[in-house]
Amino acid sequence: MNFEEALNKLKRYGQEQVLAWYDGLGEAEKAALLREIEKTDLSPLLGFRAALEPRPAGEKIEPLAAMELEEIGANRERFTARGLEAIRRRKLAAVLLAGGQGTRLGVDKSKGLVDIGLTHPLYIFECLFRNLMEVTAQAGCTLPLYVMTSAINDQAIRDFLREKDYFGYPAEEVRFFEQETCPAVSPEGKILMASRSAMFMAPNGNGGWYKSMARAGITEELRRAGIQWLNAFAVDNVLQRIADPCFLGAVLDRGCDSGAKVIRKAFPEEKVGVMCRRNGRASVVEYYELTPEMLEERNGSGDLAYNFGVILNYLFRVDALDKFLGDKPILHLAKKKVPCLDEKGEVIQPETENGYKLETLILDLVEKMDSCLPFEVVREKEFAPIKNKTGVDSIESARELLKLNGIVL
Ligand code: UTP
């Protein structure tokens, strides 16, 4: 792409300022910037204004019942046998979403590479591989594991896992694919520059994973291999049960085309997205969308009506996902501190949030599905996310939960 073509592309999105410093750049920098403009999909920027608006008023949000522990307990053997059978017939693959930046944790590498051990190394990735291998040992076979990375961590993740020999998991079952990045923008919707020759690029959220799989040719591979189900999960929950046969068996038993692992809320105001019915469809309602009345609403058994928080562990039927590949995803804006150029062309380190990252979220896929089974799991056994440096959902709190589950640190 030459300068004229780049300028024309930027003009279509009202972003000519990206080339403001072009004339003063060296030849290599000029080429790098033009290459970046050429390969970057700017179409998400068109949704910026609309994404600043709240969700449309008048949506009907109602409670959605979950399959609770008692029912799961009563059917555990049957569900597990059904799930194991599907795994043995190679109908399930796992998808590890590891493209995030982990800004809250404040590490400059993928969270998976973080060592949380005390007396010996124990990497976050290692916890996940161990959990997966408990299932594959039970099933007596392995299953494909797809790992989503992003430009900021792709090589580091590949190198790390290769060096660690995939913690004993067969290398031929592990396949990587990269998610897209998107430029961060100012409150006016203008692309922020990381330097005079580069836009500030950030991973575009965890919602585009299936599209990224399609772009990498993996969806075609799934079809050829007859893989019918995908279990997508977060990198940072070290107690994550992956390819849980009981969960898969329950979703199959109910004939749903998706499932979401959920935990009972600790208290009504807990800041988790909860399962609901939105305009008649299974969906996730964010905590800030719940009115005070909804927060306290009770069902017939006296439990909170909106009681089940999602933990980013989902099952999706592949053919149901295929139907939505061409859809425009819902855009979410994450307000962040973005180190970027000021009008003099100097990099500033902002003290307050000065920009937005544009993201899509996996939870929006739930609403696209015809049906979703919320499947209750025990918080202390399956939910130890590592999000923050200290306090709630930190390495410290995750260590306590690992110990509680008999893991030696
Ligand atoms: P979070 O929303 O917690 O984001 O991701 P994060 O990047 O890990 O952390 P912060 O918000 O910057 O502190 C939940 C899951 O989604 C993945 C993460 O790797 C994690 O497994 N994710 C997030 C992606 O794969 N890509 C993204 O662009 C964002």
Side-chain angles (χ1 to χ4, degrees):
M1 181 172 264
N2 63 27
F3 177 84
E4 281 306 313
E5 289 164 335
L7 186 62
N8 283 337
K9 175 172 178 180
L10 291 168
K11 273 187 179 159
R12 286 203 297 279
Y13 299 94
Q15 302 290 349
E16 306 88 289
Q17 82 287 351
V18 168
L19 288 167
W21 310 99
Y22 185 82
D23 289 341
L25 299 176
E27 285 314 306
E29 289 174 317
K30 281 183 176 167
L33 180 55
L34 294 181
R35 234 186 351 264
E36 189 175 57
I37 296 168
E38 179 175 17
K39 70 168 201 262
T40 303
D41 175 14
L42 297 177
S43 62
L45 301 182
L46 297 174
F48 176 72
R49 293 261 154 249
L52 282 172
E53 304 296 323
R55 284 188 80 117
E59 283 185 327
K60 188 163 183 228
I61 297 177
E62 298 164 290
L64 174 66
M67 181 184 273
E68 298 186 22
L69 294 176
E70 200 182 332
E71 186 178 357
I72 296 168
N75 293 284
R76 183 168 301 281
E77 273 180 34
R78 189 166 64 84
F79 289 158
T80 305
R82 189 151 182 199
L84 285 173
E85 192 213 335
I87 291 170
R88 289 183 189 122
R89 288 172 53 223
R90 224 171 154 75
K91 298 292 170 208
L92 176 72
V95 184
L96 164 54
L97 304 175
Q101 282 178 300
T103 38
R104 284 169 287 171
L105 190 60
V107 288
D108 59 357
K109 54 184 171 189
S110 161
K111 280 189 202 172
L113 277 61
V114 174
D115 175 7
I116 58 167
L118 289 172
T119 58
H120 62 97
L122 180 65
Y123 300 96
I124 291 182
F125 273 141
E126 186 174 1
C127 297
L128 301 178
F129 276 86
R130 280 189 186 187
N131 296 348
L132 173 60
M133 284 190 287
E134 280 179 23
V135 173
T136 55
Q138 191 186 4
C141 66
T142 55
L143 56 107
L145 171 67
Y146 295 98
V147 182
M148 182 167 87
T149 63
S150 61
I152 55 167
N153 61 25
D154 180 72
Q155 200 57 49
I157 290 181
R158 288 174 194 248
D159 292 348
F160 176 82
L161 287 177
R162 197 177 316 113
E163 184 196 309
K164 299 290 176 202
D165 204 13
Y166 306 92
F167 298 104
Y169 203 67
E172 61 276 13
E173 290 282 37
V174 185
R175 172 89 190 268
F176 299 89
F177 65 101
E178 208 178 304
Q179 72 172 94
E180 302 261 273
T181 49
C182 183
V185 298
S186 70
E188 294 73 42
K190 296 290 180 189
I191 293 174
L192 296 170
M193 300 297 287
S195 70
R196 295 183 180 204
S197 61
M199 299 184 274
F200 187 99
M201 303 296 293
N204 65 348
N206 58 28
W209 60 280
Y210 194 66
K211 277 199 171 130
S212 302
M213 285 180 98
R215 208 173 312 108
I218 295 173
T219 50
E220 201 36 57
E221 213 174 274
L222 299 177
R223 258 187 295 280
R224 276 202 305 273
I227 291 170
Q228 292 172 349
W229 288 90
L230 294 176
N231 176 208
F233 61 95
V235 69
D236 51 22
N237 174 8
V238 286
L239 284 179
Q240 187 95 250
R241 307 308 304 167
I242 302 154
D244 177 351
C246 184
F247 180 32
L248 177 59
V251 173
L252 288 169
D253 188 75
R254 284 299 151 92
C256 289
D257 56 13
S258 66
K261 283 204 168 186
V262 293
I263 49 170
R264 208 167 274 262
K265 279 208 287 198
F267 49 93
E269 300 79 20
E270 193 180 7
K271 291 183 174 170
V272 287
V274 292
M275 291 298 299
C276 72
R277 215 173 266 294
R278 194 189 289 271
N279 299 330
R281 303 184 73 82
S283 178
V284 179
V285 56
E286 290 292 355
Y287 64 91
Y288 51 79
E289 287 183 87
L290 293 172
T291 61
E293 295 74 43
M294 288 161 99
L295 279 176
E296 295 296 342
E297 194 179 323
R298 305 268 159 181
N299 62 21
S301 342
D303 292 326
L304 291 174
Y306 297 93
N307 205 11
F308 291 103
V310 287
I311 61 167
L312 218 170
N313 188 316
Y314 298 99
L315 279 167
F316 291 103
R317 235 186 47 220
V318 170
D319 58 359
L321 288 170
D322 282 336
K323 284 194 244 161
F324 303 103
L325 259 178
D327 277 20
K328 212 166 94 207
I330 299 173
L331 202 60
H332 296 260
L333 302 177
K335 216 168 180 189
K336 302 268 172 171
K337 290 180 199 164
V338 183
C340 63
L341 291 194
D342 62 10
E343 54 292 350
K344 295 196 211 85
E346 308 298 333
V347 177
I348 48 155
Q349 297 291 338
E351 291 190 349
T352 52
E353 283 99 357
N354 61 327
Y356 291 96
K357 290 185 186 169
L358 282 63
E359 299 186 334
T360 60
L361 300 179
I362 187 170
L363 54 82
D364 287 325
L365 275 180
V366 170
E367 209 172 312
K368 306 251 181 203
M369 302 291 115
D370 278 340
S371 50
C372 178
L373 176 71
F375 179 89
E376 185 184 8
V377 298
V378 179
R379 179 189 284 257
E380 293 73 22
K381 289 193 178 157
E382 297 204 22
F383 191 52
I386 296 176
K387 300 279 183 197
N388 305 311
K389 275 190 198 139
T390 52
V392 179
D393 297 343
S394 62
I395 294 181
E396 216 43 61
S397 63
R399 280 187 184 137
E400 288 311 309
L401 285 160
L402 283 169
K403 280 190 219 158
L404 212 77
N405 282 277
I407 313 285
V408 179
L409 293 166

